[in-house]
Amino acid sequence: MVPSPYPEGVAKKRKQPRQSGGTPATVLLDKAGVAYSVRAYAHDPRATNYGTEAAQALAAEPGQVFKTLLIETDHGLGVAVVPVGALLDLKAAAAALGAKRATMADPHLAERTTGYVVGGISPLGQRKRLPTVVDVSAQGRPTILVSGGRRGLDLELAPDALLALLAASYADIARRS
């Protein structure tokens, strides 16, 4: 079991599995015994920048909130997890996944492959486990926020726990503005 990154009394691992209403991401975390916190907010259906919306609604700095992006490489699909205030460096992401080049995956393909809708794609609990790389800026943070599997739902957890669950790695894949 991964130790809790939270101070005593702030957030504890659930003792019993969630009842209906959980997402594949929360089911995975519960099954693995990983400590996490659910951070829900009222999603505005007019929003187009889902990551920025989440950061603002949760009063979190954009460097703590991460977006999940699907990319197509010459080896197949992959997942890149970067801060919402940054852009993905496709060349760096491709290299981190052992590929020569990458492009953004078609949104419909991303939804079919992950089982989630765009704006709610979680790196956790996807239909098919894909090679994943997380921007190095997550490393050393006590917690980060990632999508919980639907718009308006984020999960706060230790970045090392995320990496362990996904067999992912850290790499410098974000371009800061």
Side-chain angles (χ1 to χ4, degrees):
M1 180 158 78
V2 178
S4 174
Y6 304 98
E8 183 64 33
V10 172
K12 296 183 182 204
K13 181 182 82 64
R14 294 182 179 273
K15 300 262 187 229
Q16 299 176 4
R18 291 181 190 277
Q19 300 302 318
S20 64
T23 66
T26 60
V27 169
L28 175 67
L29 290 168
D30 287 338
K31 187 175 179 179
V34 172
Y36 68 98
S37 178
V38 173
R39 305 279 303 273
Y41 60 94
H43 164 65
D44 180 353
R46 296 169 297 174
T48 55
N49 190 329
Y50 304 112
T52 302
E53 177 195 27
Q56 290 172 347
L58 297 172
E61 65 161 302
Q64 183 187 14
V65 182
F66 283 69
K67 56 189 170 186
T68 305
L69 303 171
L70 259 67
I71 59 174
E72 288 191 71
T73 74
D74 41 344
H75 297 301
L77 290 174
V79 177
V81 182
V82 296
V84 299
L87 298 173
L88 175 62
D89 182 332
L90 286 164
K91 188 173 183 176
L97 294 173
K100 291 184 180 182
R101 62 181 107 346
T103 59
M104 293 302 299
D106 175 76
H108 297 295
L109 176 62
E111 290 179 341
R112 280 194 316 273
T113 303
T114 65
Y116 295 121
V117 298
V118 169
I121 295 177
S122 179
L124 299 159
Q126 296 181 1
R127 284 186 181 149
K128 180 179 178 184
R129 181 175 282 194
L130 298 170
T132 302
V133 61
V134 178
D135 186 62
V136 71
S137 65
Q139 195 171 20
R141 286 185 173 274
T143 62
I144 60 171
L145 291 134
V146 296
S147 176
R150 66 177 176 250
R151 295 173 189 155
L153 181 72
D154 272 32
L155 304 173
E156 185 173 2
L157 72 158
D160 288 343
L162 178 70
L163 257 67
L165 276 172
L166 300 174
S169 60
Y170 288 118
D172 189 6
I173 59 169
R175 290 185 298 182
R176 280 98 185 146
S177 9

